[in-house]
Amino acid sequence: MDEWKDTLRQIRSHLEYLRDMGVTELSLPTEEAEAQLRAGPSGGRGAAAAPQSSPSRSFAPPPPAPPPAVGSASPPPPQPAREAPRAYEAPAAVAAAAMPAARAPAPASLPVAEGLEPMEREVSGCRQCRLCEKRTQTVFGSGNPQADLMFVGEGPGAEEDRRGLPFVGEAGQLLAKIIEAMGTTREAVYIANVVKCRPPNNRTPMLDEIEACYPYLRRQIAAVKPKIIVALGAPATQTLLGVSMPISRMRGSFYRYGEIQVMPTFHPAYLLRNPGEKRAVWEDMQKVMAALNLTQGDKA
């Protein structure tokens, strides 16, 4: 009986999350759709080719543009924002019950804007998920509350948990260098995370933890009203756009969160482990610079 109650609780929590994301209709997936989802975007080796009209294929981002010539200070021209792919992978307990027929990547309208300070006080007392049990303090966000550019990461690490600020550890130092190279400063942008408490051992946040924190992030975005959000890594990208596609296929193209453009890219912590991908992230940031009319040397 307890297992059934837990399953029903997960289903209810997830349905509320979908409602908050703007989903109003649900339908069971067909056997063919389930097989395609299990096979993944590539269909697997030796698998039958999926129809060309498959939604999970038709929105795949194109290969990144060639990098600019060495020494060039002019970023490439901006590209039009793309609709987020419709592919979606529900958790096992929820997939058995229902699956979105056509999930919007973000609600058509954001919540009414509110002040960040009252929201931060609210978050500091939040106990909606298990992450509150071992946190030192919550990590709400920092930066310019009216920034045109917002960075959203996954969750706080040990140093962030200790200091109560996002991206202040080793990955945060790399992010600060990226921001400065873009021609702006950390103080001029806004930085936040999907979850506001540190997951144990820096693990990826679980679905129910993301569901508990997502309303806070959504309200933060509504308060800041950025023109562009840079989604750092897969959890941030998948939360904002409602997709399950790998970050390697999403990065490099603009997508939409309501009226806000979203640029997915690799997380700075990933770059510390894979420094060869720094060039790809810089290509992504040049597109953001072009969209915001930033040039190297500016301090907007």
Side-chain angles (χ1 to χ4, degrees):
M1 181 62 70
D2 290 341
E3 292 182 1
W4 277 106
K5 287 182 179 179
D6 185 60
T7 299
L8 289 174
R9 182 191 64 78
Q10 291 185 46
I11 292 173
R12 179 179 178 181
S13 174
H14 189 71
L15 290 176
E16 290 175 351
Y17 171 65
L18 293 178
R19 180 188 63 190
D20 192 42
M21 291 291 283
V23 177
T24 58
E25 295 182 2
L26 297 172
S27 64
L28 291 175
T30 63
E31 293 182 1
E32 180 182 359
E34 288 180 336
Q36 291 178 359
L37 283 172
R38 285 194 296 269
S42 65
R45 293 186 181 274
Q52 292 300 312
S53 60
S54 170
S56 63
R57 291 174 173 268
S58 59
F59 292 94
V70 176
S72 172
S74 299
Q79 296 180 350
R82 300 161 62 85
E83 289 295 327
R86 302 296 182 177
Y88 177 77
E89 184 176 349
V94 178
M99 196 169 187
R103 179 181 181 183
S109 61
L110 293 172
V112 176
E114 56 184 301
L116 289 172
E117 290 185 7
M119 197 189 316
E120 184 171 6
R121 289 194 294 270
E122 180 183 345
V123 169
S124 68
C126 178
R127 302 190 65 83
Q128 295 189 53
C129 76
R130 66 181 72 83
L131 294 183
C132 69
E133 298 170 0
K134 296 185 178 181
R135 74 188 179 206
T136 300
Q137 57 187 318
T138 56
V139 181
F140 181 69
S142 69
N144 180 2
Q146 298 178 325
D148 287 340
L149 178 59
M150 181 172 180
F151 291 82
V152 176
E154 176 178 328
E159 186 65 15
E160 290 79 9
D161 177 66
R162 185 181 71 83
R163 296 176 56 183
L165 293 171
F167 282 92
V168 290
E170 190 175 4
Q173 294 171 19
L174 178 55
L175 177 61
K177 292 180 181 179
I178 293 171
I179 292 171
E180 291 174 2
M182 295 174 69
T184 185
T185 66
R186 181 186 171 104
E187 293 73 24
V189 304
Y190 192 82
I191 304 174
N193 281 305
V194 172
V195 297
K196 311 306 182 188
C197 301
R198 181 194 180 196
N201 301 315
N202 293 346
R203 63 162 171 75
T204 301
M206 296 182 179
L207 177 63
D208 61 331
E209 297 162 355
I210 291 175
E211 289 172 345
C213 255
Y214 172 70
Y216 294 133
L217 175 61
R218 187 172 173 230
R219 288 162 59 191
Q220 276 180 295
I221 293 171
V224 177
K225 300 186 186 70
K227 293 179 180 177
I228 294 178
I229 297 173
V230 175
L232 300 169
T237 299
Q238 293 170 358
T239 298
L240 289 170
L241 300 180
V243 299
S244 58
M245 194 173 291
I247 187 66
S248 59
R249 292 190 59 190
M250 297 287 291
R251 60 148 293 270
S253 294
F254 282 109
Y255 298 85
R256 288 282 182 184
Y257 178 92
E259 295 302 314
I260 300 171
Q261 294 190 91
V262 177
M263 172 60 75
T265 196
F266 295 124
H267 194 285
Y270 175 81
L271 298 183
L272 293 175
R273 301 189 302 269
N274 301 273
E277 297 290 359
K278 289 182 179 179
R279 186 178 183 86
V281 171
W282 181 237
E283 291 170 359
D284 299 344
M285 295 306 97
Q286 286 186 303
K287 294 175 183 177
V288 172
M289 292 164 60
L292 293 175
N293 294 318
L294 287 172
T295 57
Q296 289 174 272
D298 288 346
K299 296 295 179 184

